[in-house]
Amino acid sequence: MSPAAGMHVPLLPEGKVLVKPASVSGAVFNVATSIIGAGIMSIPATLKVLGVIPAFVMILVIGLLAEVSVDFLMRFSHSGNTTTYAGVMREAFGPAGAFAAQICVMITNLGCLIMYLIIIGDVLSGNSPGGEVHLGILQQWLGIHWWTSREFALLVIVFVMLPLVLYRRLESLRFSSAISTLLAVAFVGICSGMAITALMAGKTYRPRLLPELNSHTSFFDLFTAVPVIVTAFTFHFNVHPIGFELAQPSDMTVAVRIALVLCGAIYFAIGLFGYLLFGDSTQSDILINFDQNTAGSATGSLLNTLVRLSYAFHIMLVFPLLNFSLRANIDELLFPKKPLLATDNKRFVILTLVLLVFSYLIAIAFPDIWYFFQFVGSTSAVCLAFIFPGSLALRDAHGISKRNDKITALIMIILAIITSVIAISTNIYHLFSSKS
């Protein structure tokens, strides 16, 4: 197996490649940036579906399970002789396990990259969910022209992001990840300030603490929000590239815990304040809601613009992280006997450009992130985040699982499968009932 899925070129077990270890702070920013991607945009919509209390409990539970699953991944990786997700699955389940991991990483990362471009397109050129037109920043500033269209705006953005996706090592992205995390915090801070100001003025919506079940919403509909939160906490595709650039395994544990606490707080804040601002009119991409001047003043208009731009820039800086793992896994699957991808300029550039072009075309064709969240969160993301790590603990190829590990792993797998099956079934039912 090629050790590189790629290119992170970590401190390999044989010690053949000597690279200065990455810093823990850089790992925290890379992990946090991997987590806070498109998921934050749909967290307020999950509060609309679940209610405040169940949504917050769900965020907490999934965040805790994410930490456990990362612990399983890293323990079994360090006990074996591998530095990739596909490698640890190969050691436990053979070639079929490695193939399953690679396919799930590809589906998850590609789906997320497409969602990122959709969000950037919503910010710059607007969207029309349910027939309701929401203008983008470019359209509001310059009018509706071909150069403010979604197609042209995203094409320009792809070229702007190209230098970042050409980096050969994740540690090189630590500064852009730090900026990205700060932009996410700024985004949440502005939203929080707007919500508190609106609350003091009595202009906020009254949030539902518990879900509202009626003729339009059934108990099973609540499960459709779970994949969104699962996707929001799925960063496992970058666990190995980030973890094996660190000096010792305990550094990754510290980095993951700090990042999860930071991201959980950000999710709590944006979920509550976003829901307070827009109530049941909250869109699956909350940035769409900021196309209007909710405060009715020049300051309010400026804040709405800053909210959208800050997160659009954040997404642009997250994009290279997910593209890194996607490109590495595709290369490992298609060219397992080739030299390291980082050392083959032609293969590296061609694969990078193909992924960018494909993501761009799909984002133009399907401009709604909720459908991608549902699909990714119910299938590949739940496998990477919970089912595969739990399976490693149950398989226990290296004899290191404790009894509590196996019990936790079994519970994690059962919960993941049940919620995913219900969510998929409910979505299929709604799809066919809407056509009938």
Side-chain angles (χ1 to χ4, degrees), residues 304-325:
N304 285 347
T305 301
L306 288 177
V307 164
R308 292 190 284 173
L309 285 178
S310 65
Y311 214 80
F313 284 122
H314 164 77
I315 289 295
M316 290 172 61
L317 296 177
V318 177
F319 193 97
L321 280 174
L322 271 69
N323 182 79
F324 188 98
S325 295

Short mmCIF file of all heavy atoms in Angstrom, two decimals, residues 304-325:
data_model
loop_
_atom_site.label_atom_id
_atom_site.label_comp_id
_atom_site.label_asym_id
_atom_site.label_seq_id
_atom_site.Cartn_x
_atom_site.Cartn_y
_atom_site.Cartn_z
N ASN A 304 -24.88 42.53 8.00
CA ASN A 304 -25.33 41.41 7.16
C ASN A 304 -24.29 41.07 6.11
O ASN A 304 -24.03 39.89 5.84
CB ASN A 304 -26.66 41.77 6.47
CG ASN A 304 -27.83 41.72 7.43
OD1 ASN A 304 -27.71 41.21 8.53
ND2 ASN A 304 -28.96 42.26 7.02
N THR A 305 -23.69 42.09 5.52
CA THR A 305 -22.65 41.86 4.52
C THR A 305 -21.41 41.23 5.14
O THR A 305 -20.83 40.29 4.58
CB THR A 305 -22.27 43.18 3.84
OG1 THR A 305 -23.44 43.74 3.22
CG2 THR A 305 -21.20 42.96 2.78
N LEU A 306 -21.01 41.72 6.31
CA LEU A 306 -19.84 41.17 6.99
C LEU A 306 -20.05 39.71 7.38
O LEU A 306 -19.13 38.90 7.29
CB LEU A 306 -19.51 42.00 8.23
CG LEU A 306 -18.92 43.39 7.99
CD1 LEU A 306 -18.72 44.12 9.31
CD2 LEU A 306 -17.60 43.29 7.24
N VAL A 307 -21.26 39.39 7.83
CA VAL A 307 -21.58 38.00 8.19
C VAL A 307 -21.36 37.08 7.01
O VAL A 307 -20.70 36.04 7.11
CB VAL A 307 -23.04 37.89 8.70
CG1 VAL A 307 -23.49 36.43 8.69
CG2 VAL A 307 -23.15 38.45 10.11
N ARG A 308 -21.90 37.46 5.88
CA ARG A 308 -21.80 36.59 4.71
C ARG A 308 -20.38 36.51 4.17
O ARG A 308 -19.89 35.42 3.84
CB ARG A 308 -22.76 37.08 3.62
CG ARG A 308 -24.23 36.89 4.00
CD ARG A 308 -25.14 37.16 2.82
NE ARG A 308 -25.28 38.59 2.56
CZ ARG A 308 -25.91 39.09 1.49
NH1 ARG A 308 -26.42 38.27 0.59
NH2 ARG A 308 -26.03 40.39 1.33
N LEU A 309 -19.70 37.64 4.12
CA LEU A 309 -18.34 37.64 3.58
C LEU A 309 -17.38 36.89 4.50
O LEU A 309 -16.51 36.15 4.02
CB LEU A 309 -17.85 39.08 3.39
CG LEU A 309 -18.42 39.83 2.19
CD1 LEU A 309 -17.88 41.25 2.16
CD2 LEU A 309 -18.10 39.12 0.89
N SER A 310 -17.51 37.05 5.81
CA SER A 310 -16.60 36.38 6.74
C SER A 310 -16.69 34.88 6.59
O SER A 310 -15.67 34.18 6.59
CB SER A 310 -16.90 36.79 8.19
OG SER A 310 -18.19 36.35 8.59
N TYR A 311 -17.92 34.38 6.41
CA TYR A 311 -18.01 32.93 6.30
C TYR A 311 -17.66 32.43 4.91
O TYR A 311 -17.17 31.31 4.75
CB TYR A 311 -19.39 32.41 6.72
CG TYR A 311 -19.22 31.06 7.36
CD1 TYR A 311 -18.80 30.96 8.68
CD2 TYR A 311 -19.38 29.88 6.64
CE1 TYR A 311 -18.57 29.74 9.27
CE2 TYR A 311 -19.14 28.66 7.22
CZ TYR A 311 -18.74 28.60 8.53
OH TYR A 311 -18.49 27.38 9.09
N ALA A 312 -17.89 33.24 3.91
CA ALA A 312 -17.47 32.85 2.56
C ALA A 312 -15.95 32.71 2.51
O ALA A 312 -15.42 31.74 1.95
CB ALA A 312 -17.94 33.87 1.54
N PHE A 313 -15.22 33.64 3.14
CA PHE A 313 -13.76 33.54 3.19
C PHE A 313 -13.33 32.35 4.03
O PHE A 313 -12.34 31.68 3.73
CB PHE A 313 -13.16 34.84 3.73
CG PHE A 313 -13.14 35.96 2.75
CD1 PHE A 313 -13.78 37.16 3.02
CD2 PHE A 313 -12.49 35.82 1.53
CE1 PHE A 313 -13.77 38.20 2.10
CE2 PHE A 313 -12.47 36.85 0.61
CZ PHE A 313 -13.12 38.05 0.89
N HIS A 314 -14.06 32.09 5.12
CA HIS A 314 -13.77 30.92 5.94
C HIS A 314 -13.86 29.64 5.12
O HIS A 314 -12.96 28.79 5.17
CB HIS A 314 -14.73 30.86 7.12
CG HIS A 314 -14.76 29.53 7.81
ND1 HIS A 314 -13.78 29.11 8.68
CD2 HIS A 314 -15.64 28.50 7.74
CE1 HIS A 314 -14.06 27.90 9.12
NE2 HIS A 314 -15.19 27.51 8.56
N ILE A 315 -14.93 29.51 4.37
CA ILE A 315 -15.13 28.32 3.54
C ILE A 315 -14.01 28.18 2.51
O ILE A 315 -13.52 27.07 2.24
CB ILE A 315 -16.50 28.39 2.83
CG1 ILE A 315 -17.63 28.19 3.83
CG2 ILE A 315 -16.59 27.34 1.72
CD1 ILE A 315 -17.66 26.83 4.46
N MET A 316 -13.58 29.29 1.95
CA MET A 316 -12.51 29.23 0.97
C MET A 316 -11.22 28.70 1.58
O MET A 316 -10.43 28.02 0.91
CB MET A 316 -12.27 30.63 0.39
CG MET A 316 -13.39 31.13 -0.51
SD MET A 316 -13.17 32.87 -1.00
CE MET A 316 -11.62 32.77 -1.89
N LEU A 317 -10.99 28.97 2.87
CA LEU A 317 -9.78 28.50 3.54
C LEU A 317 -9.93 27.07 4.05
O LEU A 317 -8.92 26.41 4.31
CB LEU A 317 -9.43 29.45 4.69
CG LEU A 317 -9.08 30.87 4.27
CD1 LEU A 317 -8.82 31.75 5.48
CD2 LEU A 317 -7.86 30.88 3.35
N VAL A 318 -11.16 26.61 4.24
CA VAL A 318 -11.39 25.22 4.63
C VAL A 318 -11.23 24.29 3.43
O VAL A 318 -10.76 23.15 3.55
CB VAL A 318 -12.81 25.04 5.22
CG1 VAL A 318 -13.07 23.57 5.57
CG2 VAL A 318 -12.98 25.89 6.47
N PHE A 319 -11.61 24.76 2.28
CA PHE A 319 -11.61 23.97 1.05
C PHE A 319 -10.32 23.18 0.84
O PHE A 319 -10.36 21.98 0.54
CB PHE A 319 -11.89 24.89 -0.14
CG PHE A 319 -12.23 24.18 -1.41
CD1 PHE A 319 -13.55 23.99 -1.80
CD2 PHE A 319 -11.24 23.69 -2.26
CE1 PHE A 319 -13.87 23.34 -2.97
CE2 PHE A 319 -11.55 23.04 -3.42
CZ PHE A 319 -12.87 22.86 -3.79
N PRO A 320 -9.12 23.80 0.97
CA PRO A 320 -7.88 23.05 0.72
C PRO A 320 -7.68 21.86 1.66
O PRO A 320 -7.08 20.86 1.25
CB PRO A 320 -6.78 24.10 0.93
CG PRO A 320 -7.46 25.40 0.72
CD PRO A 320 -8.85 25.23 1.23
N LEU A 321 -8.16 21.94 2.90
CA LEU A 321 -7.98 20.85 3.84
C LEU A 321 -8.72 19.59 3.39
O LEU A 321 -8.19 18.48 3.43
CB LEU A 321 -8.47 21.26 5.24
CG LEU A 321 -7.52 22.11 6.08
CD1 LEU A 321 -8.22 22.55 7.35
CD2 LEU A 321 -6.26 21.34 6.42
N LEU A 322 -9.97 19.76 2.97
CA LEU A 322 -10.74 18.60 2.53
C LEU A 322 -10.26 18.11 1.17
O LEU A 322 -10.25 16.90 0.90
CB LEU A 322 -12.24 18.94 2.48
CG LEU A 322 -12.98 18.68 3.79
CD1 LEU A 322 -12.54 19.68 4.85
CD2 LEU A 322 -14.48 18.75 3.59
N ASN A 323 -9.86 19.04 0.33
CA ASN A 323 -9.34 18.66 -0.98
C ASN A 323 -8.07 17.82 -0.82
O ASN A 323 -7.81 16.90 -1.60
CB ASN A 323 -9.03 19.92 -1.79
CG ASN A 323 -8.52 19.60 -3.18
OD1 ASN A 323 -9.27 19.29 -4.08
ND2 ASN A 323 -7.22 19.70 -3.35
N PHE A 324 -7.27 18.11 0.22
CA PHE A 324 -6.03 17.39 0.49
C PHE A 324 -6.30 15.90 0.68
O PHE A 324 -5.70 15.04 0.02
CB PHE A 324 -5.37 17.98 1.75
CG PHE A 324 -4.00 17.44 2.04
CD1 PHE A 324 -2.88 18.14 1.66
CD2 PHE A 324 -3.83 16.23 2.69
CE1 PHE A 324 -1.61 17.66 1.93
CE2 PHE A 324 -2.57 15.73 2.96
CZ PHE A 324 -1.46 16.45 2.58
N SER A 325 -7.21 15.57 1.60
CA SER A 325 -7.51 14.16 1.87
C SER A 325 -8.21 13.48 0.70
O SER A 325 -7.98 12.31 0.42
CB SER A 325 -8.38 14.04 3.13
OG SER A 325 -7.67 14.48 4.26
#
